[in-house]
Amino acid sequence: MNKGSKVTITTFAGRRDRMELLNNYIRAGIEAGLFDEWHIWDFARTTEDREWLSTLTDTVAQTPSAGEMYYDSKIKAAVRDQKAVVEFSVSTANDAIIGFKRTSPTSGPSFEIVVGGWGNRRCALRIFSDNESLENVRSRVGAQNTLEIETPQILQYDTDNRIRIELTKFNITLIVNRKTTFSHDIEIGQVQYSILHRSGYGANAFWDFFDWQDRTIKLFLSGPLNGKGQFYSPYYQHYINHARIYSNDILIKCDDDIVFMDLGKLADFIDFRRKNSQYYLISANVINNGVCAYFQQKEGNIPLELMQLEMPDMGFGGSLWKSADLALSLHNHFLDQPQKFLSNKEEVIEWQQRVSINFIAFLGSDLNHMWDFNDDEGDLCFKSRLRSGKPNCIYTPLIVAHLTFGPQDQGFPISDVVNRYRILWEEK
């Protein structure tokens, strides 16, 4: 994988009809060692898209604040003659809940442990007669606690709380941040469990089980942050709150409708990002991005007889941004002769105005500038960039293609264009 700093690509995800091609490109990038992890943020708007996202990975790294269901960590714990140990870290304001679902033998009780419940004031152990009672969280009424103890402020939201649960045939022990929280004698016997996890009651939780080291694709589910913020707020809040984890890393934000990526230039793009900390955001050279298209036309890649493109006012909007016809013409022009756009010249366009953040890379060390978001694109390009004291830039050798903006969707033949990009993927 990458030397010196981890490369994490992240996606505001959901639309299967656009994202299936991106899935191909990112997996190829992972296989080539260009990306160390892919964080898929579930912002799907339909049940069908959400179900499809869940097929891309079985690793749910962030569980939502609703807390209405368990997620399977795909980790087993077997209690035999020696004790079984489950270890993980979790970052949440309250209610980190672990379920132990009995798998062998199947008959007999299962249980869950609540860490930081009741507003981060208590921990509890609950025993259930069967797996259905454990997993059917939504239908529970007044679940009884086998054990409940006062543990004020046991979880710290802005750090990784280390949890260790030890099981023997006759005991369950919970250790939080290296301190024993409880040790409860109970006859378990020889049994195997599947480990489940969930959060809730106003808190999203970020999980990292110690057996997850080799898992490169992770799903992030989230709910509102105490009912506040834009829908994307949990995305930024996660990386801001964990800036120490990502401080040496490169983070790439990639739209879910990126339908082409020049994999041959990705390594150069990442290397340029790593070596040039004087820039705040570095954008790829994006097909169907108003600012990039203006410079592509100046370079001679988009003929004037096809369309005449102006520089969008302050980098936002413009004739291309709002026109399905212009977007279609541009995509077809690129698909007819993609080599015309691909260049070996390492040219950089320094940029102080707004640029659509379809495919951008930033440094984890710059996360401390990212706060107070009302409009993430505008605030990244202006407020937080100004706090950093750095300009943005466009790295022109890396070409990626972005399918549509919202105003372009009406009348745009999505399936036809995606099919053309699928043929280009297969050819490449």
Side-chain angles (χ1 to χ4, degrees):
M1 288 294 183
N2 295 282
K3 297 179 180 179
S5 60
K6 187 171 68 175
V7 178
T8 299
I9 188 163
T10 70
T11 303
F12 284 15
R15 297 172 293 182
R16 179 179 182 175
D17 60 343
R18 302 152 191 254
M19 191 175 159
E20 283 184 314
L21 271 174
L22 177 65
N23 179 47
N24 293 340
Y25 279 102
I26 293 184
R27 288 179 186 272
I30 292 171
E31 186 176 345
L34 299 170
F35 307 129
D36 296 286
E37 288 190 4
W38 184 18
H39 293 181
I40 302 171
W41 285 80
D42 179 359
F43 294 126
R45 298 174 184 176
T46 70
T47 301
E48 292 77 12
D49 284 338
R50 180 161 289 114
E51 290 175 349
W52 176 74
L53 285 179
S54 69
T55 68
L56 300 182
T57 176
D58 58 13
T59 302
V60 179
Q62 179 160 292
T63 52
S65 57
E68 294 183 339
M69 66 178 293
Y70 267 120
Y71 302 90
D72 191 345
S73 71
K74 303 300 180 182
I75 292 171
K76 306 294 184 183
V79 181
R80 298 292 184 253
D81 291 332
Q82 295 184 337
K83 68 183 175 185
V85 176
V86 177
E87 290 186 284
F88 58 92
S89 65
V90 61
S91 175
T92 182
N94 51 268
D95 288 276
I97 307 173
I98 311 299
F100 287 75
K101 175 183 175 180
R102 177 183 286 260
T103 57
S104 177
T106 55
S107 61
S110 295
F111 66 93
E112 72 179 7
I113 294 175
V114 181
V115 183
W118 298 272
N120 201 20
R121 298 193 305 272
R122 300 174 204 158
C123 292
L125 170 67
R126 294 173 180 152
I127 308 296
F128 297 93
S129 59
D130 51 45
N131 288 335
E132 183 179 357
S133 300
L134 168 71
E135 293 184 280
N136 200 349
V137 177
R138 293 177 183 175
S139 67
R140 288 187 195 169
V141 178
Q144 297 298 308
N145 298 325
T146 302
L147 175 70
E148 181 180 330
I149 60 173
E150 296 291 326
T151 55
Q153 302 304 309
I154 191 169
L155 295 172
Q156 300 298 315
Y157 180 58
D158 58 352
T159 193
D160 295 318
N161 301 278
R162 294 175 64 93
I163 312 293
R164 178 182 172 96
I165 300 171
E166 299 178 351
L167 307 176
T168 71
K169 289 188 286 185
F170 304 102
N171 180 269
I172 300 172
T173 297
L174 170 66
I175 301 168
V176 179
N177 294 324
R178 298 184 174 86
K179 295 182 179 178
T180 298
T181 303
F182 67 70
S183 182
H184 182 70
D185 291 334
I186 182 172
E187 187 170 352
I188 295 174
Q190 296 195 19
V191 63
Q192 179 172 286
Y193 297 101
S194 288
I195 309 305
L196 315 179
H197 58 300
R198 66 183 176 97
S199 53
Y201 305 99
N204 300 310
F206 172 55
W207 306 80
D208 188 9
F209 285 86
F210 292 179
D211 290 343
W212 280 2
Q213 289 93 338
D214 297 329
R215 302 193 185 185
T216 56
I217 302 177
K218 299 176 179 179
L219 185 63
F220 286 67
L221 310 174
S222 61
L225 295 171
N226 298 317
K228 300 177 182 178
Q230 303 290 340
F231 79 94
Y232 52 72
S233 297
Y235 169 92
Y236 291 103
Q237 203 61 51
H238 166 77
Y239 298 105
I240 292 166
N241 286 344
H242 297 88
R244 68 201 173 283
I245 296 176
Y246 302 107
S247 61
N248 295 319
D249 295 350
I250 293 170
L251 293 155
I252 297 173
K253 180 187 172 296
C254 171
D255 284 354
D256 70 346
D257 61 345
I258 295 298
V259 287
F260 170 81
M261 204 182 293
D262 185 0
L263 292 172
K265 292 293 192 302
L266 258 176
D268 293 338
F269 175 79
I270 292 167
D271 189 56
F272 183 85
R273 172 67 281 185
R274 181 178 290 110
K275 293 177 178 177
N276 290 273
S277 60
Q278 72 270 26
Y279 295 115
Y280 185 54
L281 306 179
I282 298 180
S283 172
N285 195 0
V286 182
I287 304 299
N288 193 25
N289 172 307
V291 172
C292 294
Y294 172 80
F295 289 113
Q296 289 160 7
Q297 186 158 71
K298 287 189 67 175
E299 185 69 17
N301 295 331
I302 304 173
L304 289 170
E305 56 268 27
L306 181 68
M307 63 185 72
Q308 295 190 29
L309 296 168
E310 80 288 1
M311 172 57 71
D313 185 28
M314 298 292 289
F316 177 70
S319 58
L320 174 62
W321 175 79
K322 62 185 178 183
S323 171
D325 291 339
L326 289 179
L328 177 60
S329 295
L330 181 52
H331 281 299
N332 283 330
H333 174 64
F334 171 72
L335 285 160
D336 287 341
Q337 42 189 335
Q339 290 303 127
K340 186 177 179 66
F341 288 79
L342 306 182
S343 170
N344 290 319
K345 296 185 294 184
E346 185 170 87
E347 293 184 354
V348 174
I349 300 170
E350 194 165 296
W351 190 244
Q352 305 279 5
Q353 303 299 323
R354 183 162 173 159
V355 62
S356 294
I357 53 175
N358 311 120
F359 193 101
I360 57 168
F362 56 91
L363 299 174
S365 56
D366 281 331
L367 284 165
N368 60 312
H369 304 300
M370 296 183 184
W371 45 273
D372 188 28
F373 283 152
N374 293 308
D375 164 18
D376 64 332
E377 182 175 281
D379 292 339
L380 282 172
C381 292
F382 291 108
K383 286 198 298 188
S384 62
R385 181 186 65 77
L386 290 172
R387 283 194 289 266
S388 77
K390 304 177 182 182
N392 296 331
C393 76
I394 300 167
Y395 182 81
T396 63
L398 176 63
I399 297 291
V400 306
H402 163 246
L403 193 63
T404 60
F405 293 100
Q408 297 172 338
D409 282 343
Q410 188 66 34
F412 187 89
I414 290 173
S415 60
D416 292 344
V417 176
V418 169
N419 283 336
R420 288 202 67 190
Y421 275 106
R422 185 173 291 109
I423 293 170
L424 181 60
W425 158 260
E426 291 168 355
E427 291 174 348
K428 294 292 183 180

